[in-house]
Amino acid sequence: MFLALTEKANAVVKQHFSGVDLNAVWTVPKESSFGDASLSLPLQLASKLKQKPRDVAQIFVDALTGADGIEKVEIAGAGYVNVWLTPAGLLRELSQTREACVPAVKREKERPVIVEYSQPNIAKPLGIHHILSTVVGQTISNLYRHLGYSTVAINHLGDWGTQFGKLAVAVEKWGKKPVEKMTLGDFLELYVRFHDEVEKDETLEDAARAAFRKLEEKDPALTQFWQIVVKTTMREVEAVYERLGIHFDHVHGESFYQEKMQTILDEGKKKGVFIEGEKGALIAMFPEKTGMPPAIVLKGDGSTIYHTRDLATIRYRIDTWHPQSLLYVVDVAQQLYFQQLFDMVRQLGWELPLLEHVVLGRMRFADRSMSTRKGNILRLQEVLDEAVTRAQKIIDERGDSIQTDDPRALAEMMGTGAVVYGIVSQNRKMDLIFDWDKMLSFEGNSAPYLQYTYARAKSVLRKAGAEGESEMPQVIAALTERERILIRTLLQFAAVLEDARSSHMPHTLANYLFGLCQDFNAFYNVDPIVSAAEPQRALRLALTSMTARVLKTGAEILTLRVPERM
Ligand code: ARG
């Protein structure tokens, strides 16, 4: 942030505190009464050098006072330095915002960041809760990529496990058409039926286990059945991804790790990490202070489980990509599971990247009928359709106040966007609330509001014939209150992106964009743009153009599309 100011402050460090390894970081104060930029560096310097903070701050004040682009400098609080910039000084700093809109050049030599997200289970449609991991994960991956990290986006399909044995039994017993002809709905129905029937007939459970064993042993008929189920599922899942703009670099199922588990089991046994349990099972134990129960990695009947496949997955990822970090965007319900997993790999002594379970809260529904619906799975595809229908209704109702050449495309963008934004704008660690009215509102913190604001900015630029990049004027005598507020917000974009990335909290970016929309609309409502006299007109067009770019860049990172007209 604040390139010119940073240079000036670092020069002070070099001159007065040479040899101290500290760099200036300016931030935008929350309240405009504290100026345009604030520096806490004097406090850090003072504590390092055992000097009085206010004395150190005074050195900065003396050096910065009267410098080009600076209007006023003050010491604040214990030893902060607050700076008020001249209009020209502020406008100059905006170049960093323009740069932040362009994806950074990929740092090829750096180790990649792996982001694993979505992870649907085969033979089941995507449910509404899948949207959480899917869009939060995609956004985190987009943030890393935009900021120049080499990024590997991975989908880890739940395509292996005893549930396939159950499905195979159910299809054989109660299936009414050939597997190739079955839909995901059919599979789901059969799966539910299996669970009903098993209550009356326990032998079904054994049959299912036997079928899965046969699949593990590569029985040709069962393998073919399994392949068809995977294909049918992926056809539907991919249609949803397409609709939401979700992209992966690699899609691997748990089945991919089948052959890669034995060596790890052997290694763990040799290192004493896995110990023999009942009937030849293998288990891992954890330090007492963690309070974690033991975890099974190999069952008595020789079959492997979820943990075993994840161990093999980590090994594979380390060997293939040598990542600097490995992020799992997964529901809070699996917290203990991941803690156990990470502890196992620590015990195995592997050279590890940073491992993080990016925890997601549960989803709750404002509309009770959604949580109590029968069939216990609310399909994401249906929720998106419903959102688009509702968006279409709003467009129809608003009539001429909405401009569009293609109302259907706009409804799709608004409806799917509303659901996506409804998710990414909430703190992922808390329970997420699904609320139709809030998501589709034109006034609140919602996709339609953001989309509408973007389209409004673009319409101003069109009207002024200034659709290209607008030149920021260099000299402006004074700024209006609203221009100043808008500039201060625009100045924060780069830091917001960095913050959302490092904390893995996409909602901070969403909230920032919401604030930017409010600041832009306040400015738009009061300061005339197209009809203003020069150089104010050029300034206002440049601010409008920059607002539009920041909104579009930010929205796309959040996997949200914005319309040119609305
Ligand atoms: N497919 C799993 C589920 O839906 C989530 C997978 C999470 N990722 C992992 N590497 N275990 O429960």
Side-chain angles (χ1 to χ4, degrees):
M1 284 270 272
F2 296 111
L3 300 178
L5 270 183
T6 304
E7 228 170 83
K8 288 195 176 90
N10 282 336
V12 176
V13 177
K14 219 168 149 203
Q15 194 189 339
H16 296 267
F17 308 97
S18 68
V20 183
D21 187 25
L22 283 174
N23 285 315
V25 180
W26 292 91
T27 56
V28 178
K30 288 226 159 52
E31 311 266 334
S32 54
S33 57
F34 294 124
D36 301 311
S38 179
L39 185 70
S40 61
L41 182 65
L43 292 168
Q44 292 145 255
L45 279 170
S47 94
K48 219 172 171 161
L49 303 169
K50 311 232 173 331
Q51 296 183 10
K52 288 206 189 107
R54 287 183 73 100
D55 292 349
V56 175
Q58 190 58 48
I59 297 177
F60 283 87
V61 172
D62 293 344
L64 295 173
T65 302
D68 178 32
I70 292 180
E71 202 163 84
K72 186 167 82 168
V73 192
E74 272 179 9
I75 300 185
Y80 291 89
V81 172
N82 289 345
V83 162
W84 282 255
L85 294 169
T86 63
L90 269 177
L91 297 183
R92 212 169 319 136
E93 295 288 2
L94 277 176
S95 64
Q96 75 188 6
T97 302
R98 197 172 304 115
E99 274 163 38
C101 290
V102 185
V105 179
K106 184 162 139 192
R107 295 185 293 278
E108 297 276 2
K109 290 209 196 81
E110 220 174 78
R111 292 169 170 226
V113 172
I114 296 183
V115 191
E116 187 210 285
Y117 53 100
S118 197
Q119 314 113 326
N121 293 327
I122 296 303
K124 289 187 188 160
L126 286 180
I128 177 65
H129 59 280
H130 277 109
I131 190 147
L132 272 176
S133 172
T134 305
V135 301
V136 171
Q138 183 68 54
T139 300
I140 292 175
S141 154
N142 292 347
L143 278 165
Y144 273 100
R145 206 165 298 231
H146 185 83
L147 295 170
Y149 288 79
S150 139
T151 310
V152 188
I154 297 190
N155 198 357
H156 186 72
L157 306 175
D159 68 350
W160 208 246
T162 36
Q163 71 269 29
F164 286 97
K166 294 178 186 170
L167 188 61
V169 170
V171 167
E172 171 156 333
K173 279 195 143 27
W174 311 298
K176 294 196 189 75
K177 49 188 156 185
V179 208
E180 306 81 51
K181 295 254 155 63
M182 288 188 184
T183 62
L184 270 185
D186 297 328
F187 291 145
L188 189 64
E189 212 170 278
L190 287 163
Y191 194 72
V192 171
R193 170 130 185 219
F194 180 93
H195 280 272
D196 289 343
E197 303 262 348
V198 88
E199 307 259 299
K200 293 170 260 164
D201 179 1
E202 277 171 28
T203 63
L204 285 172
E205 199 72 63
D206 298 327
R209 217 169 293 133
F212 181 59
R213 288 296 326 238
K214 269 172 82 184
L215 178 60
E216 286 200 296
E217 283 153 15
K218 301 202 165 43
D219 174 87
L222 274 165
T223 303
Q224 200 194 4
F225 160 79
W226 171 80
Q227 280 165 346
I228 294 168
V229 178
V230 172
K231 218 162 132 192
T232 306
T233 311
M234 288 316 285
R235 211 180 301 130
E236 183 169 321
V237 167
E238 272 158 15
V240 180
Y241 287 162
E242 168 91 33
R243 209 168 167 187
L244 295 177
I246 305 299
H247 298 286
F248 297 98
D249 300 306
H250 290 275
V251 181
H252 284 154
E254 291 183 32
S255 62
F256 177 77
Y257 301 97
Q258 264 312 89
E259 313 298 323
K260 301 180 171 54
M261 286 182 280
Q262 194 53 52
T263 52
I264 292 168
L265 291 173
D266 294 342
E267 179 186 342
K269 259 200 296 197
K270 225 171 78 200
K271 291 182 172 166
V273 179
F274 304 144
I275 53 179
E276 211 122 325
E278 267 171 60
K279 296 197 202 108
L282 280 181
I283 57 174
M285 309 275 281
F286 305 101
E288 216 182 309
K289 64 172 194 302
T290 64
M292 294 194 288
I296 299 180
V297 291
L298 185 74
K299 286 200 231 167
D301 67 2
S303 55
T304 56
I305 56 175
Y306 189 37
H307 260 139
T308 335
R309 291 189 284 275
D310 257 322
L311 285 171
T313 308
I314 294 188
R315 185 70 260 169
Y316 178 81
R317 289 176 183 167
I318 295 176
D319 295 342
T320 310
W321 290 287
H322 310 288
Q324 56 169 297
S325 49
L326 178 42
L327 312 177
Y328 295 86
V329 186
V330 183
D331 194 282
V332 60
Q334 299 194 27
Q335 200 155 26
L336 171 65
Y337 173 83
F338 279 107
Q339 283 163 353
Q340 290 175 321
L341 177 69
F342 296 167
D343 200 79
M344 279 187 229
V345 290
R346 182 189 59 77
Q347 291 185 43
L348 283 164
W350 293 349
E351 196 191 306
L352 284 175
L354 176 88
L355 297 169
E356 183 179 331
H357 173 199
V358 178
V359 178
L360 303 171
R362 303 235 162 87
M363 193 178 270
R364 292 196 288 129
F365 300 96
D367 177 356
R368 286 206 33 228
S369 68
M370 287 180 84
S371 43
T372 54
R373 241 166 78 149
K374 271 190 74 174
N376 65 37
I377 186 161
L378 184 56
R379 286 188 182 214
L380 180 50
Q381 190 74 284
E382 285 171 21
V383 173
L384 294 176
D385 288 343
E386 166 92 28
V388 173
T389 307
R390 288 178 187 236
Q392 185 69 61
K393 231 178 105 205
I394 293 172
I395 294 172
D396 294 344
E397 278 165 13
R398 292 208 153 210
D400 287 346
S401 68
I402 289 198
Q403 321 163 359
T404 172
D405 310 322
D406 190 347
R408 283 185 66 116
L410 181 62
E412 173 73 21
M413 196 189 281
M414 245 174 85
T416 55
V419 175
V420 166
Y421 189 86
I423 298 303
V424 286
S425 60
Q426 298 185 52
N427 182 333
R428 62 167 170 83
K429 293 184 188 170
M430 320 268 268
D431 279 359
L432 286 105
I433 298 163
F434 191 97
D435 183 343
W436 283 120
D437 294 333
K438 197 166 159 246
M439 285 189 315
L440 284 159
S441 143
F442 263 69
E443 272 82 46
N445 186 2
S446 68
Y449 178 66
L450 198 152
Q451 290 168 326
Y452 192 66
T453 306
Y454 174 78
R456 169 182 270 182
K458 292 301 274 191
S459 138
V460 171
L461 296 171
R462 267 196 307 274
K463 230 186 273 163
E467 275 150 282
E469 182 75 30
S470 303
E471 227 9 82
M472 194 65 74
Q474 295 298 309
V475 196
I476 289 287
L479 294 169
T480 67
E481 177 64 15
R482 287 186 178 74
E483 286 166 347
R484 206 167 241 278
I485 292 175
L486 180 59
I487 292 171
R488 283 168 58 94
T489 303
L490 286 169
L491 274 174
Q492 294 170 44
F493 185 50
V496 167
L497 288 179
E498 177 49 33
D499 191 50
R501 179 207 64 80
S502 64
S503 60
H504 303 143
M505 291 292 229
H507 78 292
T508 53
L509 171 59
N511 289 340
Y512 165 80
L513 296 178
F514 175 51
L516 177 61
C517 286
Q518 289 178 309
D519 293 340
F520 174 76
N521 285 321
F523 155 79
Y524 170 95
N525 286 332
V526 175
D527 297 336
I529 302 175
V530 184
S531 62
E534 296 294 1
Q536 231 66 31
R537 182 177 189 270
L539 168 71
R540 291 178 185 169
L541 285 172
L543 290 178
T544 303
S545 156
M546 189 173 276
T547 300
R549 277 199 69 184
V550 169
L551 285 178
K552 190 177 164 87
T553 307
E556 284 173 356
I557 290 175
L558 294 172
T559 69
L560 193 76
R561 283 169 297 148
V562 284
E564 296 303 305
R565 289 158 59 83
M566 180 164 170

